[in-house]
Amino acid sequence: MKTRWIVMAAAVCMVAGLACASPPSATNRADLVDDFAPLFSPPKKALHGLTVGITPAPPTVNASSRSGELALVTAGQLYHLVLAAGGTPVLARSLYATLDANVVAQQPTDCHICLTISYTDASDRPLVYVTRTGTGTAGESLASALLDSIPNSRSGSSNATHAAVGSPAQVAVCLPADSTRGPLTPAQRRGCFERAEQLYAGLAHWKEHTLLGGPPVAERRPVPDYPDDKPAGRYERIAQRVWPTETLNQQQLDSFCDSFTQNLITNDSLVYFDVHADQVGSAVVLKGSTNLPVLAKTLKRTLETFGLDPVRNEVCALPDNEHLGHDPFGVCRVPLALTYRQPGGGGLQTQLLYGAPVYLLDCTHDHYLLHADDGYWGWVPRNAIRSMSADEFLAYQALPVGVLRDDVVHGSLTLPRGATLRVCSFDQHHCTLRLADGNTLEVLIGQVKLAPPAEVMPRRVAAALDLLYTPYVFGGCGPLGLDCSGLVRNVTAQDDTTIIARDAWQQALAGRLVATAGARGNIRAGDQLFFIDRTGRIYHTALAIDGQRFVHSSPPCVRISSFDPDDPLYGSYLDRTFFVAKRR
């Protein structure tokens, strides 16, 4: 199965250079969002035990130049529907290096049935026919089920030949394609998804009413893009990864916690996890603090796999509002401030420059624990930070950003070059900056580099929405198949010649931190959202459409989801695992 995913990824990269359609207008973008409905999700075990070979046929002679791509998209979407239904899909060829009529797709083997999908402008009605019969009348019964599931379809003249006993039934479906020769649109890909849903319905009906023939085939399942929420066996695997021996005694508890932190957390600059285990009577008690509370629960469950009982979780979830009071945000009020892994120094983390907004996590009498604007957590002296209320912080964050090109002296204060300050106003000669104390400072316009125009971010959203219904392909970053980080990489490349990192966990290291799980009010269109699982791994990414909805690629295709529980597109797991948002 892993090999098949690699083949799919490699094939995607070969067509990654195909041009995407021009991003839709603002009006069309709103229509795309409003018209998007929850995707069909098949019952989990509807196709259990069924191995389905799926072959997207290349375009036929004199067919539309996009007919081959339509077949690829439909096949990719059907692949995920079969997989979600508990079946085993085998994709004969995910993407072609060249969409050429001379390319011959190789039929999958070791399948119960083989389905060939093609598009042509030579017909205005779907055509279904048997190409090769297997045991008994499997081919004819499958064709009949597909005819019932595809509206307005017709049966073709069968050119079936008899096959050896145990050979899979082979059926072809030829679908009408319009004559459009431009890049595929979201509407066309949505039409492909509707066809894939119809094909799935025919497969499910056939399986339900037909005795499977052929030899049993071992089930092959790919690793999903992000994990489901089933814990069975997970904590045992974590324990083996963290602590390869089968025993754990009291003297080894702190070493176990250290190994847990070092082996699991992907981005330890973003995740603060200062947790230790103490033996209190007969119980093991977890103490400390973290900005990822679910990780402490994972540590508890992992310790329990060694037979430790009871294990109590008393880890404090950050931000600690009881310590921080009503001002959980802030801004750097000194020219330069270093942050450390421990209060008072030890383990340098990053440096704050004047005007940098920060997210406060905890405090002592004379230090703050915070998330810096680059995402790094660290301890810094309290006198380096001016605390802010949520409303004041949101108003500060809403102002445009300007970066100082030169040092600026203001009284006894030197504002260092590279500092990001908020811009109140500017003209062709001067720029008015907002200072950390709330006052303003006027400088020459040439001393400040203004952030990219605000329209860049919505353009990225528009480009992502133009890829709606594109099949999910692990490792893909092209317009015929992409994964979550590939989607972001594809659309940001259209506004920036810099190639961003490939994987979601790598992309999470770049950009300005603008929102966290507990402070989502500053999310804007085009911000990149990151999601983290119970083991501290950044597993998924998306682009915000607004403060609630976002566009992302996850099986079966590029889709829209929401943080709002009252929204039909609400994704509960994504809502629970949202971690941070960054702006680049």
Side-chain angles (χ1 to χ4, degrees):
M1 194 72 248
K2 182 178 180 181
T3 301
R4 188 176 306 116
W5 278 105
I6 294 174
V7 171
M8 292 174 68
V12 158
C13 295
M14 299 180 76
V15 295
L18 292 176
C20 293
S22 300
S25 66
T27 302
N28 290 339
R29 185 186 71 186
D31 291 341
L32 287 172
V33 175
D34 292 341
D35 292 344
F36 192 87
L39 296 174
F40 167 74
S41 181
K44 290 186 177 180
K45 295 185 178 181
L47 297 183
H48 180 72
L50 182 67
T51 303
V52 182
I54 306 171
T55 301
T60 57
V61 178
N62 299 323
S64 164
S65 61
R66 294 295 172 184
S67 62
E69 295 181 17
L70 293 171
L72 292 171
V73 170
T74 305
Q77 294 164 341
L78 179 61
Y79 177 97
H80 290 291
L81 293 181
V82 173
L83 190 64
T88 303
V90 181
L91 202 55
R93 192 187 294 269
S94 58
L95 293 175
Y96 297 106
T98 55
L99 297 176
D100 193 314
N102 294 323
V103 176
V104 178
Q106 299 177 354
Q107 291 286 356
T109 59
D110 296 331
C111 301
H112 294 107
I113 57 177
C114 292
L115 181 64
T116 299
I117 302 171
S118 63
Y119 280 79
T120 178
D121 9 347
S123 173
D124 59 355
R125 293 177 58 191
L127 181 67
V128 180
Y129 57 92
V130 179
T131 62
R132 185 177 180 186
T133 59
T135 304
T137 59
E140 286 79 2
S141 61
L142 174 59
S144 177
L146 291 171
L147 286 167
D148 290 339
S149 67
I150 303 175
N152 199 35
S153 58
R154 58 194 174 92
S155 176
S157 56
S158 176
N159 59 348
T161 59
H162 291 287
V165 174
S167 296
Q170 297 188 16
V171 175
V173 177
C174 186
L175 302 167
D178 58 41
S179 58
T180 302
R181 294 183 178 272
L184 294 185
T185 66
Q188 289 173 312
R189 288 191 294 267
R190 181 171 61 181
C192 290
F193 189 85
E194 292 169 353
R195 291 299 191 192
E197 185 179 345
Q198 293 165 1
L199 294 173
Y200 162 80
L203 295 175
H205 179 80
W206 180 82
K207 180 185 181 292
E208 183 179 358
H209 295 89
T210 305
L211 181 66
L212 292 178
V217 180
E219 188 173 3
R220 292 162 289 186
R221 298 291 295 275
V223 177
D225 176 51
Y226 55 83
D228 59 20
D229 212 16
K230 298 179 181 178
R234 176 178 299 155
Y235 302 105
E236 287 77 6
R237 292 192 295 272
I238 292 174
Q240 293 172 1
R241 177 179 173 186
V242 171
W243 200 257
T245 63
E246 296 181 358
T247 59
L248 179 65
N249 59 46
Q250 179 180 346
Q251 290 72 33
Q252 296 171 322
L253 287 175
D254 282 343
S255 296
F256 183 89
C257 291
D258 290 342
S259 180
F260 179 90
T261 303
Q262 294 169 6
N263 281 279
L264 292 190
I265 299 175
T266 305
N267 299 64
D268 62 356
S269 59
L270 287 168
V271 178
Y272 179 78
F273 193 74
D274 183 18
V275 175
H276 60 276
D278 294 333
Q279 189 78 36
V280 182
S282 61
V284 174
V285 181
L286 300 181
K287 296 183 178 180
S289 58
T290 178
N291 65 333
L292 186 62
V294 70
L295 192 56
K297 297 179 181 179
T298 299
L299 175 58
K300 174 182 182 296
R301 296 290 296 273
T302 304
L303 286 170
E304 290 171 344
T305 66
F306 290 92
L308 299 175
D309 184 36
V311 179
R312 295 204 307 268
N313 180 11
E314 297 181 2
V315 176
C316 175
L318 301 178
D320 189 332
N321 294 321
E322 183 177 343
H323 283 178
L324 295 171
H326 299 292
D327 299 326
F329 306 97
V331 60
C332 182
R333 57 186 296 271
V334 297
L336 303 167
L338 294 173
T339 69
Y340 294 90
R341 299 184 74 89
Q342 302 293 334
L348 180 64
Q349 286 287 84
T350 189
Q351 187 175 51
L352 303 176
L353 274 62
Y354 184 90
V358 296
Y359 296 77
L360 304 182
L361 297 174
D362 201 357
C363 64
T364 64
H365 176 70
D366 52 4
H367 283 83
Y368 277 125
L369 174 64
L370 51 78
H371 254 152
D373 59 343
D374 57 10
Y376 274 69
W377 59 263
W379 290 92
V380 68
R382 290 184 70 148
N383 59 12
I385 303 298
R386 179 192 168 223
S387 61
M388 289 181 170
S389 67
D391 290 342
E392 186 180 6
F393 187 73
L394 283 175
Y396 182 81
Q397 288 280 68
L399 294 172
V401 174
V403 181
L404 292 184
R405 296 179 181 271
D406 302 299
D407 293 347
V408 174
V409 178
H410 175 60
S412 61
L413 186 68
T414 298
L415 310 183
R417 70 185 69 184
T420 55
L421 281 79
R422 267 45 191 180
V423 177
C424 297
S425 63
F426 64 91
D427 56 32
Q428 60 181 342
H429 300 295
H430 298 91
C431 179
T432 303
L433 303 174
R434 167 81 179 272
L435 299 178
D437 60 6
N439 294 318
T440 58
L441 173 66
E442 187 176 90
V443 299
L444 295 175
I445 190 67
Q447 293 179 286
V448 180
K449 177 185 177 183
L450 300 177
E455 61 266 19
V456 169
M457 303 296 278
R459 277 208 305 268
R460 291 178 181 173
V461 178
L465 291 174
D466 194 52
L467 292 168
L468 280 175
Y469 304 99
T470 299
Y472 175 90
V473 175
F474 182 76
C477 53
L480 293 178
L482 31 72
D483 61 12
C484 62
S485 56
L487 171 65
V488 176
R489 198 167 187 254
N490 183 291
V491 301
T492 55
Q494 298 179 42
D495 284 311
D496 190 349
T497 56
T498 302
I499 301 299
I500 66 173
R502 179 63 187 86
D503 295 326
W505 70 270
Q506 296 168 324
Q507 294 175 1
L509 297 173
R512 292 185 291 112
L513 182 69
V514 294
T516 65
R520 308 186 187 190
N522 192 41
I523 295 176
R524 299 288 183 268
D527 288 343
Q528 190 172 2
L529 312 180
F530 295 95
F531 303 82
I532 197 165
D533 66 15
R534 65 180 66 215
T535 66
R537 179 177 67 96
I538 299 287
Y539 74 91
H540 193 53
T541 188
L543 286 175
I545 298 173
D546 51 36
Q548 294 292 339
R549 286 184 167 184
F550 49 94
V551 57
H552 61 120
S553 180
S554 66
C557 60
V558 177
R559 62 172 76 183
I560 297 172
S561 296
S562 173
F563 290 135
D564 182 2
D566 295 326
D567 192 325
L569 302 177
Y570 177 63
S572 60
Y573 185 70
L574 293 168
D575 186 25
R576 291 199 311 273
T577 58
F578 169 69
F579 188 46
V580 296
K582 287 201 163 185
R583 190 172 298 161
R584 66 174 81 241

